[in-house]
PDB file of all heavy atoms in Angstrom:
ATOM      1  N   ASN B  11     -10.638 -46.069  27.791  1.00 96.00           N
ATOM      2  CA  ASN B  11     -10.573 -44.747  27.173  1.00 96.00           C
ATOM      3  C   ASN B  11     -11.147 -43.775  28.175  1.00 96.00           C
ATOM      4  O   ASN B  11     -12.292 -43.934  28.605  1.00 96.00           O
ATOM      5  CB  ASN B  11     -11.415 -44.748  25.887  1.00 96.00           C
ATOM      6  CG  ASN B  11     -11.285 -43.435  25.130  1.00 96.00           C
ATOM      7  OD1 ASN B  11     -10.640 -42.492  25.591  1.00 96.00           O
ATOM      8  ND2 ASN B  11     -11.889 -43.393  23.956  1.00 96.00           N
ATOM      9  N   ASP B  12     -10.340 -42.804  28.550  1.00 94.00           N
ATOM     10  CA  ASP B  12     -10.826 -41.819  29.522  1.00 94.00           C
ATOM     11  C   ASP B  12     -11.293 -42.471  30.822  1.00 94.00           C
ATOM     12  O   ASP B  12     -12.269 -42.037  31.418  1.00 94.00           O
ATOM     13  CB  ASP B  12     -12.034 -41.067  28.922  1.00 94.00           C
ATOM     14  CG  ASP B  12     -11.650 -39.656  28.530  1.00 94.00           C
ATOM     15  OD1 ASP B  12     -10.540 -39.237  28.902  1.00 94.00           O
ATOM     16  OD2 ASP B  12     -12.468 -38.994  27.864  1.00 94.00           O
ATOM     17  N   ASN B  14     -12.790 -45.228  31.154  1.00 95.00           N
ATOM     18  CA  ASN B  14     -13.870 -46.201  30.966  1.00 95.00           C
ATOM     19  C   ASN B  14     -13.325 -47.454  30.323  1.00 95.00           C
ATOM     20  O   ASN B  14     -12.810 -47.401  29.205  1.00 95.00           O
ATOM     21  CB  ASN B  14     -14.964 -45.622  30.069  1.00 95.00           C
ATOM     22  CG  ASN B  14     -15.572 -44.375  30.671  1.00 95.00           C
ATOM     23  OD1 ASN B  14     -16.171 -44.424  31.740  1.00 95.00           O
ATOM     24  ND2 ASN B  14     -15.368 -43.248  30.006  1.00 95.00           N
ATOM     25  N   ILE B  16     -13.119 -50.492  28.181  1.00 97.00           N
ATOM     26  CA  ILE B  16     -13.840 -50.913  26.973  1.00 97.00           C
ATOM     27  C   ILE B  16     -13.499 -52.363  26.627  1.00 97.00           C
ATOM     28  O   ILE B  16     -14.384 -53.170  26.366  1.00 97.00           O
ATOM     29  CB  ILE B  16     -13.520 -49.978  25.794  1.00 97.00           C
ATOM     30  CG1 ILE B  16     -13.952 -48.543  26.153  1.00 97.00           C
ATOM     31  CG2 ILE B  16     -14.240 -50.431  24.538  1.00 97.00           C
ATOM     32  CD1 ILE B  16     -13.415 -47.483  25.246  1.00 97.00           C
ATOM     33  N   GLY B  34     -19.256 -58.498  15.712  1.00 93.00           N
ATOM     34  CA  GLY B  34     -19.825 -58.116  16.999  1.00 93.00           C
ATOM     35  C   GLY B  34     -20.624 -56.843  16.870  1.00 93.00           C
ATOM     36  O   GLY B  34     -20.417 -56.063  15.944  1.00 93.00           O
ATOM     37  N   PRO B  35     -21.552 -56.649  17.804  1.00 93.00           N
ATOM     38  CA  PRO B  35     -22.451 -55.501  17.720  1.00 93.00           C
ATOM     39  C   PRO B  35     -21.707 -54.165  17.807  1.00 93.00           C
ATOM     40  O   PRO B  35     -20.561 -54.113  18.256  1.00 93.00           O
ATOM     41  CB  PRO B  35     -23.387 -55.672  18.926  1.00 93.00           C
ATOM     42  CG  PRO B  35     -22.839 -56.767  19.748  1.00 93.00           C
ATOM     43  CD  PRO B  35     -21.829 -57.511  18.952  1.00 93.00           C
ATOM     44  N   ASN B  36     -22.388 -53.113  17.391  1.00 94.00           N
ATOM     45  CA  ASN B  36     -21.837 -51.764  17.511  1.00 94.00           C
ATOM     46  C   ASN B  36     -21.441 -51.494  18.953  1.00 94.00           C
ATOM     47  O   ASN B  36     -22.172 -51.839  19.878  1.00 94.00           O
ATOM     48  CB  ASN B  36     -22.885 -50.709  17.108  1.00 94.00           C
ATOM     49  CG  ASN B  36     -23.245 -50.796  15.631  1.00 94.00           C
ATOM     50  OD1 ASN B  36     -24.415 -50.772  15.264  1.00 94.00           O
ATOM     51  ND2 ASN B  36     -22.243 -50.915  14.783  1.00 94.00           N
ATOM     52  N   GLY B  37     -20.310 -50.907  19.108  1.00 94.00           N
ATOM     53  CA  GLY B  37     -19.876 -50.526  20.450  1.00 94.00           C
ATOM     54  C   GLY B  37     -19.289 -51.659  21.256  1.00 94.00           C
ATOM     55  O   GLY B  37     -19.022 -51.513  22.450  1.00 94.00           O
ATOM     56  N   SER B  38     -19.075 -52.805  20.641  1.00 95.00           N
ATOM     57  CA  SER B  38     -18.571 -53.943  21.418  1.00 95.00           C
ATOM     58  C   SER B  38     -17.064 -53.861  21.655  1.00 95.00           C
ATOM     59  O   SER B  38     -16.520 -54.618  22.458  1.00 95.00           O
ATOM     60  CB  SER B  38     -18.938 -55.256  20.717  1.00 95.00           C
ATOM     61  OG  SER B  38     -18.422 -55.266  19.403  1.00 95.00           O
ATOM     62  N   GLY B  39     -16.375 -52.971  20.939  1.00 96.00           N
ATOM     63  CA  GLY B  39     -14.946 -52.786  21.201  1.00 96.00           C
ATOM     64  C   GLY B  39     -14.030 -53.224  20.070  1.00 96.00           C
ATOM     65  O   GLY B  39     -12.815 -53.305  20.239  1.00 96.00           O
ATOM     66  N   LYS B  40     -14.587 -53.471  18.892  1.00 96.00           N
ATOM     67  CA  LYS B  40     -13.774 -53.954  17.766  1.00 96.00           C
ATOM     68  C   LYS B  40     -12.731 -52.918  17.341  1.00 96.00           C
ATOM     69  O   LYS B  40     -11.544 -53.227  17.199  1.00 96.00           O
ATOM     70  CB  LYS B  40     -14.687 -54.300  16.576  1.00 96.00           C
ATOM     71  CG  LYS B  40     -15.763 -55.335  16.912  1.00 96.00           C
ATOM     72  CD  LYS B  40     -16.656 -55.657  15.734  1.00 96.00           C
ATOM     73  CE  LYS B  40     -17.450 -54.478  15.179  1.00 96.00           C
ATOM     74  NZ  LYS B  40     -18.426 -53.874  16.105  1.00 96.00           N
ATOM     75  N   SER B  41     -13.200 -51.683  17.130  1.00 96.00           N
ATOM     76  CA  SER B  41     -12.254 -50.636  16.720  1.00 96.00           C
ATOM     77  C   SER B  41     -11.263 -50.339  17.832  1.00 96.00           C
ATOM     78  O   SER B  41     -10.094 -50.033  17.575  1.00 96.00           O
ATOM     79  CB  SER B  41     -12.995 -49.355  16.350  1.00 96.00           C
ATOM     80  OG  SER B  41     -13.750 -49.565  15.186  1.00 96.00           O
ATOM     81  N   THR B  42     -11.748 -50.440  19.049  1.00 97.00           N
ATOM     82  CA  THR B  42     -10.852 -50.198  20.180  1.00 97.00           C
ATOM     83  C   THR B  42      -9.702 -51.208  20.151  1.00 97.00           C
ATOM     84  O   THR B  42      -8.537 -50.832  20.285  1.00 97.00           O
ATOM     85  CB  THR B  42     -11.628 -50.318  21.509  1.00 97.00           C
ATOM     86  OG1 THR B  42     -12.706 -49.386  21.473  1.00 97.00           O
ATOM     87  CG2 THR B  42     -10.733 -50.038  22.701  1.00 97.00           C
ATOM     88  N   LEU B  43     -10.032 -52.444  19.914  1.00 97.00           N
ATOM     89  CA  LEU B  43      -9.000 -53.478  19.841  1.00 97.00           C
ATOM     90  C   LEU B  43      -8.011 -53.159  18.707  1.00 97.00           C
ATOM     91  O   LEU B  43      -6.792 -53.209  18.890  1.00 97.00           O
ATOM     92  CB  LEU B  43      -9.652 -54.854  19.614  1.00 97.00           C
ATOM     93  CG  LEU B  43      -8.680 -56.019  19.391  1.00 97.00           C
ATOM     94  CD1 LEU B  43      -7.757 -56.205  20.606  1.00 97.00           C
ATOM     95  CD2 LEU B  43      -9.439 -57.322  19.105  1.00 97.00           C
ATOM     96  N   GLN B  52      -4.852 -42.600  22.668  1.00 96.00           N
ATOM     97  CA  GLN B  52      -6.030 -42.318  23.474  1.00 96.00           C
ATOM     98  C   GLN B  52      -6.410 -43.486  24.389  1.00 96.00           C
ATOM     99  O   GLN B  52      -7.131 -43.299  25.363  1.00 96.00           O
ATOM    100  CB  GLN B  52      -7.185 -42.031  22.523  1.00 96.00           C
ATOM    101  CG  GLN B  52      -8.216 -41.084  23.077  1.00 96.00           C
ATOM    102  CD  GLN B  52      -9.268 -40.828  22.010  1.00 96.00           C
ATOM    103  OE1 GLN B  52      -8.952 -40.533  20.859  1.00 96.00           O
ATOM    104  NE2 GLN B  52     -10.516 -40.965  22.392  1.00 96.00           N
ATOM    105  N   TYR B  53      -5.933 -44.673  24.049  1.00 97.00           N
ATOM    106  CA  TYR B  53      -6.349 -45.839  24.824  1.00 97.00           C
ATOM    107  C   TYR B  53      -5.253 -46.278  25.785  1.00 97.00           C
ATOM    108  O   TYR B  53      -4.080 -46.332  25.430  1.00 97.00           O
ATOM    109  CB  TYR B  53      -6.730 -46.997  23.887  1.00 97.00           C
ATOM    110  CG  TYR B  53      -7.872 -46.625  22.990  1.00 97.00           C
ATOM    111  CD1 TYR B  53      -7.626 -46.055  21.744  1.00 97.00           C
ATOM    112  CD2 TYR B  53      -9.185 -46.779  23.415  1.00 97.00           C
ATOM    113  CE1 TYR B  53      -8.679 -45.663  20.928  1.00 97.00           C
ATOM    114  CE2 TYR B  53     -10.243 -46.396  22.609  1.00 97.00           C
ATOM    115  CZ  TYR B  53      -9.982 -45.835  21.361  1.00 97.00           C
ATOM    116  OH  TYR B  53     -11.022 -45.447  20.566  1.00 97.00           O
ATOM    117  N   GLN B  85     -11.182 -47.571  10.258  1.00 94.00           N
ATOM    118  CA  GLN B  85     -12.614 -47.561   9.957  1.00 94.00           C
ATOM    119  C   GLN B  85     -12.999 -46.207   9.359  1.00 94.00           C
ATOM    120  O   GLN B  85     -13.791 -46.136   8.433  1.00 94.00           O
ATOM    121  CB  GLN B  85     -13.423 -47.821  11.241  1.00 94.00           C
ATOM    122  CG  GLN B  85     -14.927 -47.836  11.000  1.00 94.00           C
ATOM    123  CD  GLN B  85     -15.726 -48.240  12.241  1.00 94.00           C
ATOM    124  OE1 GLN B  85     -15.178 -48.516  13.305  1.00 94.00           O
ATOM    125  NE2 GLN B  85     -17.039 -48.278  12.090  1.00 94.00           N
ATOM    126  N   TYR B  86     -12.397 -45.142   9.893  1.00 95.00           N
ATOM    127  CA  TYR B  86     -12.622 -43.806   9.355  1.00 95.00           C
ATOM    128  C   TYR B  86     -11.278 -43.186   8.979  1.00 95.00           C
ATOM    129  O   TYR B  86     -10.654 -42.510   9.796  1.00 95.00           O
ATOM    130  CB  TYR B  86     -13.335 -42.919  10.381  1.00 95.00           C
ATOM    131  CG  TYR B  86     -14.645 -43.515  10.849  1.00 95.00           C
ATOM    132  CD1 TYR B  86     -14.769 -44.069  12.126  1.00 95.00           C
ATOM    133  CD2 TYR B  86     -15.754 -43.554   9.997  1.00 95.00           C
ATOM    134  CE1 TYR B  86     -15.973 -44.632  12.549  1.00 95.00           C
ATOM    135  CE2 TYR B  86     -16.952 -44.114  10.413  1.00 95.00           C
ATOM    136  CZ  TYR B  86     -17.058 -44.658  11.685  1.00 95.00           C
ATOM    137  OH  TYR B  86     -18.239 -45.221  12.090  1.00 95.00           O
ATOM    138  N   ASP B 170     -10.228 -52.632   9.696  1.00 96.00           N
ATOM    139  CA  ASP B 170     -11.406 -52.283  10.483  1.00 96.00           C
ATOM    140  C   ASP B 170     -12.541 -51.821   9.570  1.00 96.00           C
ATOM    141  O   ASP B 170     -12.538 -50.693   9.083  1.00 96.00           O
ATOM    142  CB  ASP B 170     -11.043 -51.185  11.499  1.00 96.00           C
ATOM    143  CG  ASP B 170     -12.156 -50.969  12.521  1.00 96.00           C
ATOM    144  OD1 ASP B 170     -13.207 -51.643  12.424  1.00 96.00           O
ATOM    145  OD2 ASP B 170     -11.973 -50.123  13.425  1.00 96.00           O
ATOM    146  N   GLU B 171     -13.487 -52.688   9.357  1.00 95.00           N
ATOM    147  CA  GLU B 171     -14.665 -52.401   8.525  1.00 95.00           C
ATOM    148  C   GLU B 171     -14.288 -51.794   7.186  1.00 95.00           C
ATOM    149  O   GLU B 171     -14.883 -50.819   6.739  1.00 95.00           O
ATOM    150  CB  GLU B 171     -15.635 -51.476   9.258  1.00 95.00           C
ATOM    151  CG  GLU B 171     -16.246 -52.156  10.464  1.00 95.00           C
ATOM    152  CD  GLU B 171     -17.510 -51.438  10.952  1.00 95.00           C
ATOM    153  OE1 GLU B 171     -18.167 -50.779  10.123  1.00 95.00           O
ATOM    154  OE2 GLU B 171     -17.823 -51.563  12.132  1.00 95.00           O
ATOM    155  N   HIS B 203     -19.042 -56.316   9.740  1.00 92.00           N
ATOM    156  CA  HIS B 203     -20.406 -56.599  10.176  1.00 92.00           C
ATOM    157  C   HIS B 203     -21.092 -57.571   9.230  1.00 92.00           C
ATOM    158  O   HIS B 203     -22.194 -58.022   9.495  1.00 92.00           O
ATOM    159  CB  HIS B 203     -21.232 -55.300  10.219  1.00 92.00           C
ATOM    160  CG  HIS B 203     -20.886 -54.431  11.387  1.00 92.00           C
ATOM    161  ND1 HIS B 203     -21.113 -54.808  12.681  1.00 92.00           N
ATOM    162  CD2 HIS B 203     -20.320 -53.207  11.452  1.00 92.00           C
ATOM    163  CE1 HIS B 203     -20.713 -53.846  13.504  1.00 92.00           C
ATOM    164  NE2 HIS B 203     -20.225 -52.861  12.776  1.00 92.00           N
TER     165      HIS B 203
HETATM  166  N1  ATP C 501     -14.062 -41.886  26.155  1.00 56.86           N
HETATM  167  C1  ATP C 501     -15.001 -42.834  26.225  1.00 56.86           C
HETATM  168  N2  ATP C 501     -15.804 -42.930  27.276  1.00 56.86           N
HETATM  169  C2  ATP C 501     -16.759 -43.873  27.349  1.00 56.86           C
HETATM  170  N3  ATP C 501     -16.982 -44.758  26.381  1.00 56.86           N
HETATM  171  C3  ATP C 501     -16.207 -44.704  25.294  1.00 56.86           C
HETATM  172  C4  ATP C 501     -15.182 -43.757  25.149  1.00 56.86           C
HETATM  173  N4  ATP C 501     -14.569 -43.953  23.963  1.00 56.86           N
HETATM  174  C5  ATP C 501     -15.215 -45.014  23.395  1.00 56.86           C
HETATM  175  N5  ATP C 501     -16.172 -45.455  24.185  1.00 56.86           N
HETATM  176  C6  ATP C 501     -17.107 -46.579  23.922  1.00 56.86           C
HETATM  177  O1  ATP C 501     -16.399 -47.757  23.686  1.00 56.86           O
HETATM  178  C7  ATP C 501     -17.225 -48.638  22.974  1.00 56.86           C
HETATM  179  C8  ATP C 501     -16.425 -49.371  21.925  1.00 56.86           C
HETATM  180  O2  ATP C 501     -16.210 -48.567  20.799  1.00 56.86           O
HETATM  181  P1  ATP C 501     -15.606 -49.151  19.452  1.00 56.86           P
HETATM  182  O3  ATP C 501     -15.404 -48.034  18.531  1.00 56.86           O
HETATM  183  O4  ATP C 501     -14.434 -49.989  19.787  1.00 56.86           O
HETATM  184  O5  ATP C 501     -16.809 -50.078  18.964  1.00 56.86           O
HETATM  185  P2  ATP C 501     -16.944 -50.970  17.664  1.00 56.86           P
HETATM  186  O6  ATP C 501     -17.109 -52.358  18.113  1.00 56.86           O
HETATM  187  O7  ATP C 501     -15.843 -50.709  16.732  1.00 56.86           O
HETATM  188  O8  ATP C 501     -18.312 -50.443  17.085  1.00 56.86           O
HETATM  189  P3  ATP C 501     -18.805 -50.243  15.553  1.00 56.86           P
HETATM  190  O9  ATP C 501     -19.281 -51.558  15.095  1.00 56.86           O
HETATM  191  O10 ATP C 501     -19.932 -49.287  15.670  1.00 56.86           O
HETATM  192  O11 ATP C 501     -17.653 -49.709  14.778  1.00 56.86           O
HETATM  193  C9  ATP C 501     -18.388 -47.811  22.446  1.00 56.86           C
HETATM  194  O12 ATP C 501     -19.540 -48.094  23.179  1.00 56.86           O
HETATM  195  C10 ATP C 501     -17.938 -46.406  22.686  1.00 56.86           C
HETATM  196  O13 ATP C 501     -19.011 -45.533  22.919  1.00 56.86           O
END
Side-chain angles (χ1 to χ4, degrees):
Chain B
N11 185 355
D12 253 350
N14 300 297
I16 300 166
N36 294 134
S38 57
K40 303 180 299 297
S41 293
T42 303
L43 175 60
Q52 210 177 312
Y53 299 91
Q85 180 174 0
Y86 304 107
D170 191 358
E171 293 198 26
H203 285 295

